[in-house]
């Protein structure tokens, strides 16, 4: 959960809201502790979805779910890998950004990409505006991708490393 909007009220993102409405368990550990590592194993999870976590996962966590560990990254990869992709997209003055569904690997935002959902950027958009739209854009992306993942028809394409751009952590 993150603070959003001008009032900085802590709210769940759209994916958490969607999952909880369907009775799916949601875990949000601040660190990958032994307890956090055991959660996907205890659940016998088919897939783990990660968004805006900010840490590189250990191989024993990545490989636990039967169908893999996937990340919802808030840029159109390989653009804006790193800690501030929303702010970087807004600051760039571009016309669009999006959410990319990718397989997690041990490198920063470098895993193969399965699908994306594009979101337009307006000239007066703030990072908070875009963050809310990106969170909502995750829902159709997940609804489209998870059935294909379960059926074995979701294809993952390696990213073009020569086109990768990075953004720094903002303080």
């Amino acid at each position: 959960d993150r603070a959003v909007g001008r009032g900085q009220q802590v709210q769940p993102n759209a994916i958490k809201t969607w999952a909880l409405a369907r009775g799916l368990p949601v875990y949000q550990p601040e660190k990958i502790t032994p307890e956090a590592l055991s959660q996907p194993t205890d659940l016998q999870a088919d897939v783990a979805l990660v968004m805006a976590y900010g840490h590189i996962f250990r191989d024993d966590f990545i490989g636990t779910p039967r169908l893999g560990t996937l990340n919802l990254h808030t840029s159109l990869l390989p653009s804006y890998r790193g800690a501030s992709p929303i702010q970087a997209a807004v600051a760039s003055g571009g016309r669009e950004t999006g959410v990319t569904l990718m397989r997690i690997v041990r490198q920063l935002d470098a895993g193969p990409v399965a699908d994306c959902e594009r979101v337009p950027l307006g000239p007066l958009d703030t990072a908070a505006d875009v963050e809310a739209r990106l969170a909502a854009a995750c829902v159709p992306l997940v609804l489209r991708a998870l059935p294909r993942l379960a059926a074995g028809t979701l294809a993952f394409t390696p990213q073009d490393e020569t086109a990768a751009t990075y953004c720094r952590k903002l303080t």
Side-chain angles (χ1 to χ4, degrees):
D1 297 336
R2 297 285 184 242
V4 296
R6 290 190 175 141
Q8 292 296 288
Q9 296 293 325
V10 176
Q11 296 179 1
N13 67 43
I15 292 294
K16 180 179 180 180
T17 302
W18 176 88
L20 292 175
R22 286 155 179 80
L24 299 172
V26 175
Y27 297 101
Q28 297 177 285
E30 287 296 322
K31 293 182 181 177
I32 297 296
T33 62
E35 178 184 285
L37 276 172
S38 71
Q39 289 168 339
T41 303
D42 294 346
L43 287 171
Q44 299 178 339
D46 291 323
V47 64
L49 286 174
V50 177
M51 183 174 188
Y53 192 64
H55 300 286
I56 293 179
F57 290 100
R58 296 175 9 191
D59 288 335
D60 51 352
F61 180 85
I62 294 169
T64 298
R66 181 177 63 86
L67 299 173
T69 301
L70 307 180
N71 182 38
L72 292 156
H73 182 75
T74 53
S75 79
L76 296 173
L77 290 170
S79 296
Y80 304 126
R81 291 179 180 176
S84 58
I86 297 169
Q87 294 81 0
V90 170
S92 76
R95 296 182 134 189
E96 75 173 353
T97 188
V99 178
T100 301
L101 182 67
M102 58 170 277
R103 189 172 296 283
I104 290 183
V105 297
R106 295 251 328 143
Q107 292 176 277
L108 181 66
D109 301 328
V113 170
D115 199 356
C116 69
E117 186 75 18
R118 295 178 181 277
V119 171
L121 287 174
L124 300 178
D125 280 339
T126 66
D129 299 331
V130 175
E131 183 175 0
R133 290 201 311 270
L134 289 169
C138 291
V139 174
L141 177 58
V142 170
L143 286 173
R144 187 169 68 234
L146 286 185
R148 292 173 28 218
L149 179 68
T153 61
L154 185 64
F156 288 86
T157 304
Q159 294 183 46
D160 178 359
E161 292 296 321
T162 63
T165 59
Y166 294 87
C167 49
R168 63 186 173 85
K169 182 176 181 179
L170 301 177
T171 57

